[in-house]
Amino acid sequence: MRHFLDWRDVSALDLDVILAEAVRRKTARKMGDNHTLAGKTLAMIFEKNSTRTRVSFEVAITELGGHAVVLQKDDLQLGRGETVADTARVLSRYCHALMLRAYAHASLLELAQYATVPVINGLTDLLHPCQLLADVMTVEERLGSIKGKKIAWVGDGNNMANSWIIAAEKMHFTLHLACPKTLTPDATILSAAKARGAHITLGTSPQEAVAGADVVVTDTWVSMGDDDTLTRKQAFRGFQVNAALMAQAKPQALFLHCLPAHRGEEVTDDVLDGAQSAVWDEAENRLHVQKAVLLWCLGEI
Ligand code: CP
Ligand code: NVA
């Protein structure tokens, strides 16, 4: 069973296959996709809001000839206490693949444990693996191979930061994280990646992280499920990605953000809308990687 839950469970070779397919699909789309997934249905369960993940997956499976069913948790019996396991068993009888956006990563693992069809991680509190595929694809289409590049993460040690740490190990790039000392990434993920030889540093200085970087990445200071407290926001003083910070990276450095952005908080308008920003390509690439993930999960590549 090919679940796509966590890059750590996917071989480097399969990640390359998925990324190469995404690149091919981006070109192929201009000619019209073939309907490789005709008759296939993807169920998408959302515990939290989504724009990019919801729309890119629905368009992806539709353009491949299949169909998506979008399910908000509270519209399901899941919202009234039916278990994740029973939901997995039932949806597996109707659908060919399931995608879940969940608060707790444990819910995703439970869904995958009981589903008899592939399960895709559409974001949890721990990881956002589909987003990382789009991010790597975007870096590589602008700068060539990500191997050996210096990536700077500035901001929260959240699901995206954890995903970048895993990617640094799998894709052999250097990752310099700057996070407030109270908001660091998952310690197990970080120490395991470093123990396996990944080139990763964690500090509290955005300037040090960004110095000479090929790519500067940030994300919201308040993720879905976080308490939007003043104390939390205060911890990010000095962590805004603005023109002064970008000036310390390489002159042609890219700026990435998985979006949604909170303009004027973690990033300024001039950076987000500026020449170094690749965020709209990054968002578009979600569509192409989603197709590749679906094709991989369903054994078509
Ligand atoms: N980047 C991302 O996953 O966006 P959505 O929350 O809009 O899906
Ligand atoms: N870290 C953010 C990413 C949103 C796509 C969140 O979890 O809300």
Side-chain angles (χ1 to χ4, degrees):
M1 180 80 68
R2 280 180 170 177
H3 297 307
F4 191 78
L5 308 176
D6 181 331
W7 277 39
R8 289 172 295 181
D9 307 333
V10 183
S11 71
L13 185 65
D14 277 349
L15 289 167
D16 285 346
V17 165
I18 293 169
L19 282 165
E21 181 68 16
V23 171
R24 263 196 303 280
R25 290 279 157 192
K26 188 165 184 170
T27 311
R29 188 173 189 232
K30 299 186 180 92
M31 277 101 72
D33 277 301
N34 52 20
H35 284 183
T36 318
L37 300 186
K40 305 280 191 210
T41 297
L42 169 71
M44 297 194 276
I45 306 169
F46 288 93
E47 293 184 0
K48 321 185 199 184
N49 298 50
S50 173
T51 298
R52 281 142 288 266
T53 303
R54 183 206 183 289
V55 178
S56 60
F57 264 113
E58 183 162 355
V59 173
I61 190 140
T62 303
E63 290 187 356
L64 291 172
H67 179 70
V69 181
V70 180
L71 305 161
Q72 302 301 325
K73 182 182 175 184
D74 287 340
D75 295 340
L76 294 170
Q77 298 293 3
L78 187 62
R80 292 180 57 248
E82 187 169 18
T83 66
V84 172
D86 289 352
T87 305
R89 292 177 174 112
V90 171
L91 292 181
S92 296
R93 299 294 180 103
Y94 304 133
C95 304
H96 302 88
L98 312 180
M99 191 228 75
L100 174 63
R101 167 163 289 195
Y103 284 99
H105 194 72
S107 305
L108 178 81
L109 297 180
E110 192 181 351
L111 191 78
Q113 184 182 344
Y114 293 99
T116 54
V117 298
V119 173
I120 299 168
N121 182 352
L123 179 147
T124 66
D125 56 351
L126 191 71
L127 297 171
H128 196 2
C130 291
Q131 182 67 50
L132 250 288
L133 288 173
D135 293 5
V136 171
M137 180 178 172
T138 308
V139 171
E140 295 202 325
E141 66 189 4
R142 297 284 189 112
L143 304 179
S145 172
I146 198 167
K147 188 174 176 180
K149 295 283 187 300
K150 181 180 170 188
I151 314 287
W153 172 272
V154 177
D156 193 11
N158 63 11
N159 44 9
M160 283 300 303
N162 294 335
S163 304
W164 274 102
I165 290 168
I166 293 167
E169 183 198 336
K170 288 272 188 177
M171 297 271 167
H172 306 288
F173 57 82
T174 301
L175 179 65
H176 293 284
L177 301 126
C179 305
K181 60 179 184 301
T182 51
L183 295 164
T184 49
D186 183 89
T188 308
I189 289 177
L190 180 60
S191 59
K194 285 171 84 165
R196 285 192 290 261
H199 296 288
I200 303 174
T201 63
L202 170 64
T204 54
S205 164
Q207 287 74 19
E208 280 175 20
V210 161
D214 296 289
V215 182
V216 177
V217 196
T218 191
D219 187 14
T220 178
W221 291 340
V222 185
S223 284
M224 292 177 279
D226 288 337
D227 287 334
D228 186 0
T229 60
L230 190 58
T231 330
R232 185 181 180 88
K233 292 247 176 95
Q234 279 168 346
F236 289 107
R237 199 173 297 132
F239 278 77
Q240 184 183 69
V241 179
N242 51 32
L245 192 66
M246 283 301 292
Q248 297 178 48
K250 284 193 179 152
Q252 304 305 320
L254 292 185
F255 172 74
L256 294 184
H257 190 313
C258 65
L259 305 175
H262 300 258
R263 290 169 176 267
E265 290 193 3
E266 75 275 6
V267 61
T268 52
D269 286 336
D270 57 341
V271 170
L272 194 68
D273 300 328
Q276 289 169 266
S277 172
V279 299
W280 314 120
D281 287 349
E282 184 185 2
E284 178 192 324
N285 287 339
R286 290 293 304 276
L287 170 62
H288 312 300
V289 301
Q290 255 51 298
K291 285 181 183 168
V293 167
L294 288 164
L295 290 164
W296 180 79
C297 285
L298 293 169
E300 296 291 342
I301 56 170

